[in-house]
Amino acid sequence: MEPRCQAALRRVVSRRMLLASGAQYTALRAVVSEVPPPLTPVASSGVTAGDAGLVSLFGSENRVIRTRERVVAVTFNAAWNDAGLDRILGELARQHAPATFFLTGDFAYRYPQAVKRIAAAGHGLGNHSYNHPYFKDLTVPGRIRQVRAAERALRAAGAGRALTPFFRFPYSETTPAQIGEVNALGFADIEFTTDTNGWKGTEGGMTVARARRRALDALRPGAILQMHVGASGGGTDVIDAEALPGILDAVISRGFRITDLRTLLARPSRPPAGR
């Protein structure tokens, strides 16, 4: 990672919980105060001028990186098991490609060694709620507890400096109000341009070739690809892990570079010129 990005990441991640300023914080302050305190002390701090990159992502679901550069971000969700992790980490290492892994707190609790391995490999770790509920079915305090509990679980599992201020909603179901809630907790919402749908498995009609095609059909400057680490129901066949080598090879052969989402923390994110 570039030194500038590392410095920005340390400034942001070293805080246990960031709070957004202005209207978002004012609107949610009363609600957050009703939530039971975390299991361990959480030092909160206002967002500073040095956090401009993070703040520029607030108020949006961020399904694409706002750039004209031929870059693509690779991300993985993990909530079931770690069946595909060995192959995924090996392929990312082969291509020297960075990725961001959005883990549920429950996954981090059950697979702490997986959390440590991802962090040790130099990838980013994001928050994907504690146990992947439908946020629309929760109260505001309930949603806040999901985010906080997941962060605690990731830290307890050894995420360390790999932990990012990025949150991804379960099922990618967002609303402006819910995005405001996670922003007020200091997290930028990072969704995706396309999902390979490898998580559906062969029983859901997916194949390695179809997963690869979905990823490549979505290629554009700033695309964010979503894949999955494991398989549901205790399965061990992970289509995304099998498809990853072909996806990375094709992305690179088409003149794209795999970018680290954490570079967004080093600079404000702006829309491409002309928009």
Side-chain angles (χ1 to χ4, degrees), residues 36-56:
L39 298 178
T40 54
V42 175
S44 61
S45 173
V47 175
T48 69
D51 302 320
L54 173 63
V55 173
S56 73

Side-chain angles (χ1 to χ4, degrees), residues 112-192:
Q113 289 305 314
V115 176
K116 293 182 179 70
R117 289 181 61 203
I118 294 168
H123 303 295
L125 289 164
N127 187 318
H128 195 37
S129 80
Y130 187 79
N131 60 355
H132 210 277
Y134 286 97
F135 267 36
K136 64 181 176 61
D137 295 334
L138 304 178
T139 62
V140 174
R143 290 192 289 267
I144 292 171
R145 281 193 291 268
Q146 281 282 328
V147 177
R148 286 180 165 173
E151 188 198 34
R152 292 197 299 273
L154 285 162
R155 291 186 182 279
R161 289 185 174 179
L163 190 59
T164 69
F166 296 150
F167 179 81
R168 176 169 285 167
F169 281 88
Y171 309 102
S172 194
E173 292 186 350
T174 73
T175 69
Q178 290 171 15
I179 290 172
E181 290 164 13
V182 299
N183 291 166
L185 293 172
F187 293 88
D189 175 37
I190 303 291
E191 297 302 325
F192 53 89

Side-chain angles (χ1 to χ4, degrees), residues 53-262:
L54 173 63
V55 173
S56 73
L57 300 171
F58 286 2
S60 172
E61 58 184 4
N62 297 299
R63 291 190 177 274
V64 66
I65 299 170
R66 304 165 202 166
T67 182
R68 287 192 173 188
E69 295 182 49
R70 293 176 68 81
V71 296
V72 174
V74 175
T75 70
F76 296 88
N77 292 358
W80 298 309
N81 60 28
D82 64 347
L85 186 62
D86 285 347
R87 187 164 187 175
I88 288 169
L89 289 180
E91 180 59 21
L92 292 172
R94 180 181 76 86
Q95 292 283 14
H96 303 287
T100 303
F101 290 75
F102 289 86
L103 314 183
T104 66
D106 176 66
F107 177 93
Y109 176 78
R110 290 183 292 116
Y111 297 99
Q113 289 305 314
V115 176
K116 293 182 179 70
R117 289 181 61 203
I118 294 168
H123 303 295
L125 289 164
N127 187 318
H128 195 37
S129 80
Y130 187 79
N131 60 355
H132 210 277
Y134 286 97
F135 267 36
K136 64 181 176 61
D137 295 334
L138 304 178
T139 62
V140 174
R143 290 192 289 267
I144 292 171
R145 281 193 291 268
Q146 281 282 328
V147 177
R148 286 180 165 173
E151 188 198 34
R152 292 197 299 273
L154 285 162
R155 291 186 182 279
R161 289 185 174 179
L163 190 59
T164 69
F166 296 150
F167 179 81
R168 176 169 285 167
F169 281 88
Y171 309 102
S172 194
E173 292 186 350
T174 73
T175 69
Q178 290 171 15
I179 290 172
E181 290 164 13
V182 299
N183 291 166
L185 293 172
F187 293 88
D189 175 37
I190 303 291
E191 297 302 325
F192 53 89
T193 310
T194 192
D195 187 320
T196 62
N197 282 352
W199 60 271
K200 292 183 177 181
T202 54
E203 64 276 14
M206 287 304 297
T207 64
V208 169
R210 287 177 178 173
R212 179 176 179 272
R213 189 179 313 120
R214 282 184 60 84
L216 298 181
D217 284 348
L219 273 187
R220 54 171 287 189
I224 301 174
L225 304 182
Q226 174 174 279
M227 291 171 272
H228 288 75
V229 166
S232 62
T236 56
D237 294 328
V238 182
I239 285 179
D240 283 334
E242 296 178 37
L244 184 61
I247 290 173
L248 293 182
D249 285 342
V251 166
I252 293 169
S253 70
R254 295 184 185 190
F256 285 83
R257 174 172 55 86
I258 308 300
T259 190
D260 193 325
L261 282 175
R262 290 172 290 186

